[in-house]
Amino acid sequence: QLLLQESGPGLVKPSETLSLTCTVSGGSMNSNNYLWVWIRQPPGKGLEWIGSFFYSGTSYYNPSLKSRVTVSGDTSKNQFSLKLTSVTAADTAVYFCVRYVRFSDQLDHWGQGTLVTVSS
Amino acid sequence: QSALTQPASVSGSPGQSITISCTGTSSDVGNYNLVSWYQQHHPGKAPKLIIFDVTKRPSGVSDRFSGSKSGNTASLTISGLQAEDEADYYCCSYAGSNTVLFGEGTKLTVL
């Protein structure tokens, strides 16, 4: 059974960098069939796609966040990561790591999510 | 990229049917048959995939859930409403170049 687990600090100061890692178990990231995705949900708001990582090393970003986001991966460790720079209170959210099935638009396996609060 | 447009809320009585719309553009919903729907019972908890490829249901999802698309608008229909269907629902569309867009979300209330 494929499992995804987010890890990282739950509290980040304004203007600093938010860093999260997703560890994938029960399956390999090395597949042409999937993208490895970060999605967030601010309190009381909807879902927002942040960016994704393809096993070949290519990453794709939400244009509205592109200037501040880096999504990377280490397929040898079965992990992928998110870095979001210059954070503000508006970046406070639950962050999910998710597997996306290409050519089928399925976000089929989700991590449990981790709340990151931006506050001094 | 703007979020796909969904009604903020819909409601229905047990046994009735409801439909939630999801309107995008010719660059996303209208250009690809790659629309999925997600059910989220608790904000901040992982959503559940209920429809993919516009009309397909994952194994284990009730056939009371169905999807369709016409032009730039996709729809989710829930028939035979049950109390357990009360949740937030999000549509999602492929938008090209390995990017996706979510809808704003719709809160379903079962009266």
Side-chain angles (χ1 to χ4, degrees):
Chain A
Q1 179 187 1
L2 188 77
L3 294 175
L4 293 88
Q5 178 68 58
E6 305 89 352
S7 59
L11 181 64
V12 181
K13 289 182 169 55
S15 81
E16 294 190 346
T17 297
L18 180 159
S19 296
L20 294 174
T21 296
C22 181
T23 301
V24 180
S25 58
S28 173
M29 289 181 60
N30 275 315
S31 172
N32 184 52
N33 294 325
Y34 308 116
L35 288 170
W36 303 93
V37 177
W38 287 100
I39 290 167
R40 69 180 182 179
Q41 185 172 35
K45 296 188 177 181
L47 302 169
E48 180 180 35
W49 174 74
I50 301 170
S52 54
F53 175 78
F54 189 51
Y55 82 108
S56 65
T58 307
S59 298
Y60 307 91
Y61 301 113
N62 183 328
S64 68
L65 296 169
K66 187 174 182 178
S67 64
R68 298 195 292 131
V69 172
T70 301
V71 177
S72 59
D74 186 339
T75 56
S76 67
K77 295 182 179 179
N78 243 24
Q79 293 179 329
F80 63 107
S81 300
L82 168 69
K83 290 190 187 301
L84 180 64
T85 63
S86 305
V87 297
T88 69
D91 295 310
T92 293
V94 175
Y95 287 76
F96 296 100
C97 60
V98 190
R99 187 179 80 169
Y100 175 83
V101 183
R102 299 178 69 211
F103 314 118
S104 187
D105 197 44
Q106 297 181 62
L107 292 157
D108 68 342
H109 285 80
W110 294 66
Q112 65 183 21
T114 187
L115 174 63
V116 179
T117 301
V118 178
S119 175
S120 55
Chain B
Q1 287 186 329
S2 298
L4 306 175
T5 301
Q6 296 181 232
S9 63
V10 297
S11 62
S13 298
Q16 289 185 331
S17 295
I18 63 94
T19 297
I20 299 171
S21 61
C22 169
T23 301
T25 70
S26 58
S27 297
D28 37 70
V29 175
N31 198 36
Y32 305 97
N33 286 324
L34 293 173
V35 176
S36 51
W37 290 89
Y38 300 85
Q39 178 190 60
Q40 187 181 43
H41 276 112
H42 301 287
K45 298 299 184 186
K48 174 187 175 184
L49 173 68
I50 55 173
I51 294 288
F52 67 98
D53 288 357
V54 179
T55 62
K56 299 176 183 176
R57 280 187 309 275
S59 173
V61 172
S62 170
D63 61 3
R64 297 186 299 104
F65 294 91
S66 62
S68 63
K69 192 187 86 165
S70 178
N72 296 338
T73 298
S75 299
L76 171 71
T77 297
I78 308 174
S79 58
L81 268 181
Q82 299 179 1
E84 68 204 48
D85 299 330
E86 186 161 294
D88 294 327
Y89 291 85
Y90 292 90
C91 63
C92 177
S93 174
Y94 184 71
S97 301
N98 286 309
T99 65
V100 300
L101 273 177
F102 282 105
E104 299 155 328
T106 299
K107 181 176 181 62
L108 169 62
T109 300
V110 180
L111 302 170

